[in-house]
Amino acid sequence: MDEIKYNPKTDYGTPQSQSTKQITLTVDDRQVTVPDGVTIMHAAAVAGVMVPKLCATDSLEPFGSCRLCLVEIEGRRGYPASCTTPVAEGLVVHTQTPKLADIRRGTMELYISDHPLDCLTCAANGDCELQDMAGAVGLREVRYGYDGENHLKAAKDESNPYFTFDPSKCIVCSRCVRACEETQGTFALTISGRGFDSKVSAGNKDFMDSECVSCGACVQACPTATLMEKSVIQAGTPEHSVTTTCAYCGVGCSFDAEMKGEEVVRMTPSKHGGANHGHSCVKGRFAWGYATHKDRITTPMIRKSINDPWQQVGWDEAISYAASELSRIQKQYGKDAIGGITSSRCTNEEVYVTQKLIRAVFGVNNVDTCARVCHSPTGYGLKQTLGESAGTQTFDSVMQSDVILIIGANPTDGHPVFASQMKRRLRAGAKLIIADPRAIDLVANSPHIRADYHLKLRPGTNVALVSALAHVIVTEGLVQEAFVKERCEWDSFVAWRDFVAKPENSPETLASEIGVKAEDIRAAARLYATGGNAAIYYGLGVTEHSQGSTTVMGIANLAMATANIGREGVGVNPLRGQNNVQGSCDMGSMPHEFPGYRHVADDATRELFESAWGRPLSSEPGLRIPNMLDQAAEGSFKGLYCVGEDIVQSDPNTQHVTHALKNMECVIVQDLFLNETAMYAHVFFPGASFLEKNGTFTNAERRISPVRRVMKPKNGYEDWEVTTKLSEALGYPMNYKHASDIMDEIARLTPTFHGVSFKKLDEMGSIQWPCNDEHPNGTPIMHIGEFVRGKGKFFITQYVPTTEKVNTKFPLILTTGRILSQYNVGAQTRRTQNTAWHPEDILEIHPHDAEDRGIKEGDWVGIASRAGETVLRAKITERVQVGVVYTTFHHPESGANVITTDNSDWATNCPEYKVTAVQVSRVNQLSDWQKHYKTFSEAQIAFAGRKVEASKVG
Ligand code: SF4
Ligand code: SF4
Ligand code: SF4
Ligand code: FES
């Protein structure tokens, strides 16, 4: 039996089935074979017969309310709904008979008699299923007239910035309600009332004030113009589309950019997207307006000193000025006086050419990336233990998990589309353990989901917790010894086992340090080890600590000891923050590694790249970001090429970063906007948005997905072209004609990418690396049968408390995180209507701590640490524990990183963002830093001819 080739543009009415049993039936004289478990409607669509429908769509479970899809089945009485009737062997189905036509026309008449007849001026004209069905059933008249009771005057809700709700057009099909429940898992909508009075309700509130998180699933599901994107109302229906990949988080959702000429009208999540299966969050679907925002800088600029005004120049002048400055600095101060930083917002191809420029042309390995400040411990820890610096699973694997352990991650805010999938599995019965100092949404605000254990640990005690969990597993005989014997280095296991078994690692000894009851730690450990397929998901709450790498290794130890690795439903899953964190690391953005995580000191690898690039390469690891900044502060590092990264806002200890930048003689910033780092730059290369370029992003599951140009770059060039122009000006032309040439070179030189090409990506949609001769279609699950390093290796995880201690001067611990509507430093989302949800960063504080300090909801509070001070507005909430305060870092004026310290992970220098000892007190004025920031940034923006927006603080 041939596999069914599903067309992503076809709506099959009801979902596919995973059954291997095949069923053959006849629909309107066409014989069709489909998997058992699908409906007659689905089988008919596979056979090319589209049964009229309104309440059914293939992303939702069948509902059976509209009665339009009735069919006749030989040998059965009545007219069953094809959307709720399962297929059976040998059925003979008729979808078009005179009787069915009569029933359908009658049904449609009822719908249309309570529907405005404004089709010609309706925004959905030509894209409306109600209109299509009226045509399909041959509706010619409406006998009931429009004079009776109806809903035609129901008021519109336009509160959401991105879509409208016009109940006068609603046919109460419930698709929106079901999309919100089944696809998104938010349960914001219900059908209230009965019979004629039934209507869609967002909890009797408007959408903005409701539980709605603006994911848009209901808008996509709505078959009428009731729920409608404002962009479509404004621009009209799109006329062509290009499939590309979201530029925000590490989920890597695939989208069809629906266009009118060069204008994006709508971003529709692609049904065949490997990571998102047709779903999205508010950022990917709606927050793309930044690409055409008035703040975009599209002309190159230069200046001799950061105190001078910017001068707009042509590309040639900007490139040649940058090249001459970099050459001058190297001649004057030595080769190592310059380096570069790439960003996880860059494509793989951009990162690759940037590190090539630095290694082959600058002649140094001083290249680093923003993964340094987020997931570098993941790269290190997983490489040491398992042999590969990457997550082990596909997102879909979670659907096979029985136990989900989340440590230091907040998926509903950070990785929302994956969170929706995870919530589906949790609603279906998987158990949930959460280790987090704060009550994240999965604990506090997720209908029909209950965390079996919320281990509300004190920030900074992850290693102690992981060791205590391991202690229970080892001492209660829960280790899967056969797996360990076969798959792991036995000696390393024995050493680890003996270490964690010591009384000092017992839950009872560590409970007070961790801040969690010993019995809860024991119960959680038992559940993880014995509850069936157990998967660990973790995030920056694990990595951004002084022992980030130790915790990552401890997590891998747990998975190996319990045999929860190497198959579906289990594994170690780092939830990568930004869209291309995985890719930027894969592409050799770290100072010690070539693409594919091969050490610069490895002679064979270096010779391979030397021969391909035709330049001698250094075998010495280069400078990491903190080393570059330290050396700049000391005066020996003088030139920086910073592509797509805003180190002033995103790196810790802002004062140190700005001091270092001020000491440099040539800072080149390549970005869409004049970001905070550009305030200290001498050259500004305008960047291209993801809509303006070709390339690839690699998500948290190692999935390489195509980024495709849908409009011309506003600055004239794709970003990789700018880098290669700089290279040429420095005497090293790279000679690529298209981004695909760069991927071809990556594939030639990187074993895990040997089988990757743009052509293959376009054919397959996406590919999970390794993709090579051994795995021509990629590798969804890693470490099956054998670890990449051969035998898995256990590491001792000695808990060393952070040196960042609370005392009477700084009695609270500040920890940081993200929020759904904003993204990272906010450069993109702050320039969209997403600010409607999070216009400023706020400080969450427990009621007891607030009361002790006389702080009330909404007060301005000063937050002082050993590094600096800032001012935020207070939110009093029990989601944080006593002694812990929490904020986000999306707005530059908040200065969250003014207060974070220089402490960092022992192995990778990843900053300890998650633990800063602070004091909080009521204030009535900005901090000194904020006053300085306001004056300085206003002056800088004015230099670039931009209008200054009034500060929200004060
Ligand atoms: S809003 Fe749309 S999807 Fe929801 S019930 Fe009305 S017509 Fe159906
Ligand atoms: S936008 Fe998403 S969260 Fe909001 S009501 Fe629709 S489906 Fe629910
Ligand atoms: S931000 Fe993340 S979850 Fe949201 S649409 Fe983009 S990739 Fe998907
Ligand atoms: S589509 Fe089957 S009842 Fe609505």
Side-chain angles (χ1 to χ4, degrees), residues 41 53-56 64-69 81 83:
M41 173 179 279
K53 62 180 177 55
L54 277 172
C55 69
S65 70
C66 76
R67 310 301 292 166
L68 209 62
C69 68
C83 69

Side-chain angles (χ1 to χ4, degrees), residues 54-219:
L54 277 172
C55 69
T57 185
D58 61 8
S59 59
L60 300 173
E61 290 304 317
F63 192 58
S65 70
C66 76
R67 310 301 292 166
L68 209 62
C69 68
L70 309 186
V71 291
E72 291 182 31
I73 302 175
E74 289 185 13
R76 290 198 191 173
R77 292 175 53 190
Y79 306 97
S82 64
C83 69
T84 50
T85 309
V87 292
E89 190 63 38
L91 287 188
V92 178
V93 179
H94 301 282
T95 74
Q96 303 292 342
T97 67
K99 184 66 195 164
L100 291 172
D102 247 18
I103 300 173
R104 286 180 189 145
R105 263 198 298 274
T107 307
M108 277 307 291
E109 262 189 276
L110 286 169
Y111 278 122
I112 299 297
S113 67
D114 191 8
H115 195 84
L117 290 183
D118 60 353
C119 290
L120 285 183
T121 52
C122 176
N125 189 15
D127 187 19
C128 169
E129 291 181 44
L130 189 69
Q131 193 181 41
D132 295 346
M133 289 309 120
V137 306
L139 190 69
R140 296 290 173 263
E141 58 170 345
V142 176
R143 287 166 291 169
Y144 311 113
Y146 300 94
D147 301 332
E149 221 184 341
N150 60 45
H151 300 87
L152 301 181
K153 294 216 162 51
K156 264 191 197 177
D157 173 357
E158 305 207 67
S159 60
N160 186 288
Y162 295 118
F163 60 83
T164 59
F165 173 60
D166 178 357
S168 73
K169 295 185 171 168
C170 181
I171 58 171
V172 202
C173 65
S174 276
R175 271 161 69 162
C176 53
V177 178
R178 289 178 285 138
C180 193
E181 292 176 7
E182 294 173 26
T183 311
Q184 166 57 23
T186 292
F187 295 76
L189 302 178
T190 51
I191 301 287
S192 70
R194 303 176 75 118
F196 180 80
D197 292 327
S198 35
K199 60 175 189 195
V200 172
S201 161
N204 288 324
K205 297 177 177 156
D206 63 28
F207 271 77
M208 250 339 240
D209 293 333
S210 74
E211 292 294 313
C212 169
V213 293
S214 201
C215 71
C218 56
V219 182

